[in-house]
Protein backbone atom coordinates (compact mmCIF):
# COMPACT_ATOMS: atom_id res chain seq x y z
CA UNK A 1 0.00 0.00 0.00
CA UNK A 2 1.13 3.58 -0.64
CA UNK A 3 2.12 6.12 2.00
CA UNK A 4 -0.90 7.57 3.78
CA UNK A 5 -0.83 11.32 4.41
CA UNK A 6 -2.28 12.92 7.52
CA UNK A 7 -6.03 13.21 7.95
CA UNK A 8 -7.82 16.08 6.21
CA UNK A 9 -5.02 16.61 3.66
CA UNK A 10 -6.51 17.92 0.40
CA UNK A 11 -4.86 18.17 -3.00
CA UNK A 12 -5.67 21.83 -3.60
CA UNK A 13 -4.38 21.50 -7.14
CA UNK A 14 -7.42 19.36 -7.93
CA UNK A 15 -11.08 20.26 -7.78
CA UNK A 16 -12.67 23.26 -6.10
CA UNK A 17 -14.06 23.83 -2.59
CA UNK A 18 -17.82 23.71 -2.22
CA UNK A 19 -20.60 22.81 -4.65
CA UNK A 20 -20.26 22.79 -8.40
CA UNK A 21 -22.25 25.82 -9.57
CA UNK A 22 -23.06 24.61 -13.08
CA UNK A 23 -24.55 21.48 -14.67
CA UNK A 24 -20.99 20.51 -15.63
CA UNK A 25 -18.92 18.42 -13.30
CA UNK A 26 -19.94 16.60 -10.14
CA UNK A 27 -20.16 17.59 -6.48
CA UNK A 28 -18.55 15.15 -4.04
CA UNK A 29 -19.74 14.94 -0.42
CA UNK A 30 -17.67 13.13 2.22
CA UNK A 31 -19.51 12.69 5.52
CA UNK A 32 -17.44 11.16 8.32
CA UNK A 33 -20.55 10.52 10.45
CA UNK A 34 -19.57 8.75 13.72
CA UNK A 35 -15.86 8.98 12.89
CA UNK A 36 -16.17 12.64 13.84
CA UNK A 37 -15.09 15.73 12.00
CA UNK A 38 -16.67 18.20 9.62
CA UNK A 39 -18.30 17.02 6.41
CA UNK A 40 -16.39 18.10 3.30
CA UNK A 41 -17.98 19.19 0.02
CA UNK A 42 -15.86 19.69 -3.11
CA UNK A 43 -16.44 20.01 -6.84
CA UNK A 44 -14.82 18.02 -9.63
CA UNK A 45 -15.38 20.39 -12.58
CA UNK A 46 -14.98 17.77 -15.28
CA UNK A 47 -16.92 18.28 -18.50
CA UNK A 48 -16.38 14.78 -19.87
CA UNK A 49 -17.45 11.38 -18.56
CA UNK A 50 -15.68 9.78 -15.62
CA UNK A 51 -16.11 7.18 -12.90
CA UNK A 52 -16.96 7.63 -9.26
CA UNK A 53 -13.29 7.08 -8.47
CA UNK A 54 -12.33 9.83 -10.92
CA UNK A 55 -14.74 12.18 -9.15
CA UNK A 56 -13.52 11.35 -5.65
CA UNK A 57 -9.84 11.75 -6.48
CA UNK A 58 -10.38 14.56 -8.98
CA UNK A 59 -12.11 16.64 -6.31
CA UNK A 60 -8.88 16.48 -4.30
CA UNK A 61 -9.74 13.83 -1.72
CA UNK A 62 -7.09 11.35 -0.57
CA UNK A 63 -8.19 7.72 -0.68
CA UNK A 64 -6.80 4.26 -0.05
CA UNK A 65 -8.11 0.93 -1.30
CA UNK A 66 -7.65 -2.48 0.25
CA UNK A 67 -4.60 -4.62 -0.48
CA UNK A 68 -6.75 -7.37 -1.96
CA UNK A 69 -8.93 -5.33 -4.33
CA UNK A 70 -7.02 -2.07 -4.73
CA UNK A 71 -9.06 1.09 -5.26
CA UNK A 72 -12.02 -0.97 -6.46
CA UNK A 73 -12.96 -0.97 -2.77
CA UNK A 74 -12.34 2.29 -0.89
CA UNK A 75 -11.10 1.66 2.63
CA UNK A 76 -10.00 5.11 3.76
CA UNK A 77 -11.04 8.61 2.78
CA UNK A 78 -8.86 11.44 4.07
CA UNK A 79 -6.96 8.77 6.04
CA UNK A 80 -10.07 7.85 8.04
CA UNK A 81 -10.40 5.46 9.63
CA UNK A 82 -6.66 5.48 10.21
CA UNK A 83 -4.70 2.33 10.97
CA UNK A 84 -4.21 3.36 14.60
CA UNK A 85 -7.73 4.37 15.64
CA UNK A 86 -9.92 1.78 17.33
CA UNK A 87 -13.39 1.47 15.80
CA UNK A 88 -16.20 0.67 18.30
CA UNK A 89 -17.58 -2.14 16.17
CA UNK A 90 -20.05 -4.34 18.00
CA UNK A 91 -18.66 -7.82 18.60
CA UNK A 92 -15.14 -6.88 17.45
CA UNK A 93 -13.43 -5.29 20.42
CA UNK A 94 -10.30 -3.33 19.64
CA UNK A 95 -10.85 -3.46 15.86
CA UNK A 96 -8.46 -1.40 13.73
CA UNK A 97 -8.88 -1.04 9.98
CA UNK A 98 -5.70 -2.25 8.26
CA UNK A 99 -7.17 -2.12 4.73
CA UNK A 100 -6.01 -5.62 3.87
CA UNK A 101 -9.35 -7.15 2.87
CA UNK A 102 -12.99 -6.10 2.64
CA UNK A 103 -13.89 -4.08 5.78
CA UNK A 104 -16.53 -5.57 8.11
CA UNK A 105 -20.22 -4.93 7.59
CA UNK A 106 -20.29 -2.86 10.77
CA UNK A 107 -17.68 -0.33 9.68
CA UNK A 108 -17.08 0.77 6.09
CA UNK A 109 -17.43 3.66 3.64
CA UNK A 110 -20.78 3.39 1.87
CA UNK A 111 -21.08 4.86 -1.62
CA UNK A 112 -24.06 6.97 -2.75
CA UNK A 113 -25.05 9.05 -5.75
CA UNK A 114 -27.80 11.46 -6.73
CA UNK A 115 -28.94 13.64 -9.58
CA UNK A 116 -29.45 17.31 -8.78
CA UNK A 117 -32.56 17.76 -6.59
CA UNK A 118 -32.94 13.97 -6.33
CA UNK A 119 -32.75 11.66 -3.31
CA UNK A 120 -29.50 9.97 -2.38
CA UNK A 121 -29.33 6.40 -3.70
CA UNK A 122 -27.07 3.63 -2.43
CA UNK A 123 -24.88 2.75 -5.40
CA UNK A 124 -25.49 -0.52 -7.22
CA UNK A 125 -22.09 -0.23 -8.87
CA UNK A 126 -18.51 -0.21 -7.70
CA UNK A 127 -16.67 3.10 -7.63
CA UNK A 128 -14.64 2.12 -10.69
CA UNK A 129 -17.61 0.73 -12.58
CA UNK A 130 -20.17 3.53 -12.71
CA UNK A 131 -20.03 6.95 -14.33
CA UNK A 132 -20.91 10.01 -12.31
CA UNK A 133 -23.88 12.11 -13.43
CA UNK A 134 -22.95 15.49 -14.90
CA UNK A 135 -24.31 18.19 -12.62
CA UNK A 136 -25.08 15.54 -9.99
CA UNK A 137 -23.60 14.32 -6.74
CA UNK A 138 -21.35 11.55 -5.42
CA UNK A 139 -21.57 10.77 -1.70
CA UNK A 140 -19.39 8.89 0.78
CA UNK A 141 -20.56 8.28 4.32
CA UNK A 142 -19.07 6.12 7.04
CA UNK A 143 -21.45 3.38 8.13
CA UNK A 144 -20.84 2.23 11.71
CA UNK A 145 -22.88 -0.56 13.33
CA UNK A 146 -25.66 -0.04 10.78
CA UNK A 147 -27.78 -2.41 8.69
CA UNK A 148 -28.85 -2.48 5.06
CA UNK A 149 -31.88 -0.42 6.07
CA UNK A 150 -30.07 2.06 8.28
CA UNK A 151 -26.85 2.88 6.43
CA UNK A 152 -26.61 6.66 6.94
CA UNK A 153 -27.01 8.86 3.87
CA UNK A 154 -24.78 11.90 3.38
CA UNK A 155 -26.16 14.71 5.53
CA UNK A 156 -25.82 17.31 2.79
CA UNK A 157 -28.75 17.61 0.38
CA UNK A 158 -27.84 16.93 -3.27
CA UNK A 159 -29.03 20.35 -4.42
CA UNK A 160 -26.79 22.80 -6.25
CA UNK A 161 -27.09 26.37 -4.95
CA UNK A 162 -29.78 28.32 -6.75
CA UNK A 163 -31.62 25.22 -8.00
CA UNK A 164 -33.76 24.39 -4.96
CA UNK A 165 -37.31 23.54 -5.96
CA UNK A 166 -36.40 22.52 -9.49
CA UNK A 167 -37.25 19.07 -10.82
CA UNK A 168 -35.09 16.05 -10.07
CA UNK A 169 -32.54 15.51 -12.84
CA UNK A 170 -31.17 11.96 -13.02
CA UNK A 171 -30.37 9.49 -15.75
CA UNK A 172 -31.21 5.81 -15.45
CA UNK A 173 -28.04 3.80 -14.96
CA UNK A 174 -27.26 1.23 -17.66
CA UNK A 175 -27.39 -2.49 -17.00
CA UNK A 176 -24.15 -4.44 -16.51
CA UNK A 177 -22.34 -5.15 -19.76
CA UNK A 178 -19.74 -7.56 -18.41
CA UNK A 179 -19.63 -11.03 -16.89
CA UNK A 180 -16.70 -10.13 -14.64
CA UNK A 181 -17.97 -10.78 -11.08
CA UNK A 182 -15.93 -7.81 -9.85
CA UNK A 183 -17.98 -5.46 -12.04
CA UNK A 184 -21.46 -6.88 -11.62
CA UNK A 185 -24.43 -4.86 -10.48
CA UNK A 186 -25.71 -5.63 -7.00
CA UNK A 187 -28.93 -7.70 -7.17
CA UNK A 188 -32.11 -5.80 -6.42
CA UNK A 189 -33.26 -8.52 -4.01
CA UNK A 190 -31.62 -9.65 -0.79
CA UNK A 191 -31.37 -13.21 -2.08
CA UNK A 192 -27.69 -14.13 -2.46
CA UNK A 193 -26.44 -14.61 -6.01
CA UNK A 194 -25.91 -18.30 -5.35
CA UNK A 195 -29.66 -18.70 -4.74
CA UNK A 196 -30.89 -16.66 -7.71
CA UNK A 197 -31.99 -18.11 -11.01
CA UNK A 198 -29.24 -18.17 -13.63
CA UNK A 199 -29.16 -15.26 -16.05
CA UNK A 200 -26.89 -16.17 -18.96
CA UNK A 201 -27.15 -12.67 -20.43
CA UNK A 202 -25.39 -11.01 -17.52
CA UNK A 203 -22.99 -13.44 -15.88
CA UNK A 204 -21.17 -16.74 -16.34
CA UNK A 205 -21.87 -19.91 -14.40
CA UNK A 206 -18.58 -19.58 -12.56
CA UNK A 207 -19.37 -16.02 -11.56
CA UNK A 208 -22.85 -17.00 -10.31
CA UNK A 209 -21.34 -19.70 -8.13
CA UNK A 210 -18.60 -17.60 -6.56
CA UNK A 211 -19.79 -14.00 -6.46
CA UNK A 212 -21.28 -12.23 -3.49
CA UNK A 213 -22.42 -8.61 -3.35
CA UNK A 214 -20.65 -6.05 -1.20
CA UNK A 215 -21.20 -2.32 -0.60
CA UNK A 216 -20.68 0.37 -3.16
CA UNK A 217 -21.86 -2.05 -5.82
CA UNK A 218 -18.73 -4.17 -5.75
CA UNK A 219 -19.26 -7.92 -6.20
CA UNK A 220 -16.30 -10.06 -5.30
CA UNK A 221 -15.47 -13.76 -5.11
CA UNK A 222 -16.52 -15.21 -1.78
CA UNK A 223 -13.70 -15.22 0.77
CA UNK A 224 -15.69 -16.25 3.82
CA UNK A 225 -15.11 -12.79 5.33
CA UNK A 226 -17.87 -10.63 6.74
CA UNK A 227 -19.32 -8.58 3.92
CA UNK A 228 -21.03 -5.20 4.29
CA UNK A 229 -24.75 -4.88 3.50
CA UNK A 230 -25.39 -5.52 -0.21
CA UNK A 231 -28.80 -3.93 -0.54
CA UNK A 232 -29.12 -0.73 -2.54
CA UNK A 233 -31.42 1.72 -0.76
CA UNK A 234 -33.20 4.81 -2.00
CA UNK A 235 -34.28 7.55 0.38
CA UNK A 236 -37.50 8.96 -0.97
CA UNK A 237 -37.63 12.16 1.09
CA UNK A 238 -37.29 15.33 -0.96
CA UNK A 239 -33.80 16.79 -0.36
CA UNK A 240 -33.89 19.93 1.76
CA UNK A 241 -30.72 22.06 2.06
CA UNK A 242 -32.11 23.53 5.29
CA UNK A 243 -31.30 20.21 6.97
CA UNK A 244 -27.64 20.19 5.97
CA UNK A 245 -25.04 19.59 8.67
CA UNK A 246 -22.11 22.01 8.91
CA UNK A 247 -19.61 21.44 6.12
CA UNK A 248 -16.52 22.98 4.59
CA UNK A 249 -14.85 22.83 1.21
CA UNK A 250 -11.60 21.66 2.76
CA UNK A 251 -10.06 25.13 2.42
CA UNK A 252 -8.40 24.88 5.83
CA UNK A 253 -6.92 21.44 5.25
CA UNK A 254 -3.19 21.24 4.52
CA UNK A 255 -2.14 20.57 0.94
CA UNK A 256 -1.32 16.91 0.53
CA UNK A 257 1.83 17.64 -1.47
CA UNK A 258 3.18 19.84 1.33
CA UNK A 259 2.30 17.17 3.89
CA UNK A 260 4.10 14.48 1.93
CA UNK A 261 7.15 16.70 1.47
CA UNK A 262 7.13 17.49 5.18
CA UNK A 263 6.82 13.86 6.23
CA UNK A 264 9.54 12.75 3.84
CA UNK A 265 11.91 15.36 5.25
CA UNK A 266 12.30 17.24 2.00
CA UNK A 267 12.29 21.04 1.76
CA UNK A 268 12.22 23.67 -1.01
CA UNK A 269 15.71 24.64 0.22
CA UNK A 270 17.04 21.11 -0.20
CA UNK A 271 18.48 21.61 -3.73
CA UNK A 272 20.27 24.81 -2.64
CA UNK A 273 21.62 23.17 0.49
CA UNK A 274 22.82 20.17 -1.50
CA UNK A 275 24.47 22.45 -4.07
CA UNK A 276 26.22 24.38 -1.31
CA UNK A 277 27.54 21.18 0.22
CA UNK A 278 28.95 20.09 -3.15
CA UNK A 279 30.70 23.46 -3.61
CA UNK A 280 32.18 23.30 -0.11
CA UNK A 281 33.46 19.78 -0.71
CA UNK A 282 34.98 20.84 -4.01
CA UNK A 283 36.67 23.84 -2.39
CA UNK A 284 38.02 21.71 0.45
CA UNK A 285 39.37 19.14 -2.00
CA UNK A 286 41.11 21.88 -4.03
CA UNK A 287 42.59 23.47 -0.91
CA UNK A 288 43.93 20.11 0.31
CA UNK A 289 45.45 19.33 -3.09
CA UNK A 290 47.17 22.78 -3.19
CA UNK A 291 48.67 22.32 0.27
CA UNK A 292 50.02 18.88 -0.63
CA UNK A 293 51.58 20.23 -3.82
CA UNK A 294 53.31 23.04 -1.93
CA UNK A 295 54.53 20.59 0.69
CA UNK A 296 56.14 18.42 -1.99
CA UNK A 297 57.84 21.48 -3.61
CA UNK A 298 59.36 22.54 -0.32
Amino acid sequence: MGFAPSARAIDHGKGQPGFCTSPTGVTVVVDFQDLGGTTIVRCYPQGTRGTGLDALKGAGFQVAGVARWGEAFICRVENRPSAVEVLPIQGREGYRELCVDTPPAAGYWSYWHAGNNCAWTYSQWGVKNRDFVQGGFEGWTFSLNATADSNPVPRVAPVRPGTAGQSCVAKEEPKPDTDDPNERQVPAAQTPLTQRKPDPTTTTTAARETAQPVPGGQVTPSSGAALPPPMPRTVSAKPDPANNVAFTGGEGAPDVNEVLADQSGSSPLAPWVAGGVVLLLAAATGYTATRRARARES
Side-chain angles (χ1 to χ4, degrees), residues 218-278:
Q218 200 66 15
V219 178
T220 59
S222 174
S223 62
L227 295 175
M231 277 291 292
R233 185 164 62 95
T234 299
V235 179
S236 58
K238 184 175 177 58
D240 184 358
N243 297 326
N244 287 350
V245 296
F247 62 86
T248 74
E251 301 94 334
D255 185 273
V256 65
N257 298 301
E258 295 178 0
V259 171
L260 292 175
D262 218 22
Q263 294 178 343
S264 65
S266 64
S267 163
L269 297 177
W272 297 99
V273 173
V277 170
V278 170

Side-chain angles (χ1 to χ4, degrees), residues 132-222:
F132 59 77
V133 177
Q134 288 286 343
F137 289 74
E138 296 276 302
W140 292 86
T141 178
F142 197 77
S143 178
L144 183 64
N145 296 319
T147 67
D149 294 324
S150 63
N151 290 331
V153 301
R155 294 172 296 177
V156 171
V159 180
R160 293 198 313 276
T163 67
Q166 295 182 8
S167 299
C168 166
V169 179
K171 296 184 300 184
E172 183 178 353
E173 292 191 297
K175 294 180 179 179
D177 58 2
T178 174
D179 58 8
D180 182 345
N182 289 329
E183 298 182 5
R184 275 295 311 273
Q185 190 175 26
V186 171
Q190 292 193 35
T191 311
L193 286 178
T194 51
Q195 298 177 20
R196 301 180 77 209
K197 294 183 179 180
D199 183 354
T201 65
T202 57
T203 186
T204 63
T205 301
R208 287 194 302 272
E209 292 175 348
T210 61
Q212 290 189 10
V214 298
Q218 200 66 15
V219 178
T220 59
S222 174

Side-chain angles (χ1 to χ4, degrees), residues 3-185:
F3 182 79
S6 299
R8 303 299 193 275
I10 294 288
D11 188 343
H12 293 287
K14 297 180 179 179
Q16 301 167 352
F19 293 81
C20 290
T21 57
S22 74
T24 302
V26 58
T27 301
V28 183
V29 177
V30 171
D31 190 342
F32 297 94
Q33 296 282 347
D34 290 337
L35 287 177
T38 304
T39 298
I40 302 176
V41 178
R42 290 184 64 83
C43 171
Y44 178 46
Q46 180 70 13
T48 57
R49 61 169 293 192
T51 67
L53 183 61
D54 293 331
L56 184 59
K57 297 172 72 172
F61 291 102
Q62 305 308 300
V63 302
V66 297
R68 185 175 185 186
W69 309 114
E71 290 180 335
F73 197 104
I74 300 301
C75 178
R76 302 193 214 285
V77 181
E78 291 297 291
N79 202 31
R80 303 294 307 282
S82 72
V84 296
E85 63 183 298
V86 176
L87 296 179
I89 293 178
Q90 296 172 1
R92 303 192 67 168
E93 185 177 353
Y95 181 84
R96 290 181 172 84
E97 184 53 71
L98 301 181
C99 294
V100 174
D101 207 340
T102 306
Y108 74 99
W109 281 102
S110 60
Y111 176 37
W112 302 76
H113 62 86
N116 188 44
N117 276 290
C118 304
W120 285 109
T121 301
Y122 189 102
S123 178
Q124 299 185 55
W125 284 93
V127 65
K128 296 175 72 174
N129 308 120
R130 67 169 298 275
D131 286 355
F132 59 77
V133 177
Q134 288 286 343
F137 289 74
E138 296 276 302
W140 292 86
T141 178
F142 197 77
S143 178
L144 183 64
N145 296 319
T147 67
D149 294 324
S150 63
N151 290 331
V153 301
R155 294 172 296 177
V156 171
V159 180
R160 293 198 313 276
T163 67
Q166 295 182 8
S167 299
C168 166
V169 179
K171 296 184 300 184
E172 183 178 353
E173 292 191 297
K175 294 180 179 179
D177 58 2
T178 174
D179 58 8
D180 182 345
N182 289 329
E183 298 182 5
R184 275 295 311 273
Q185 190 175 26

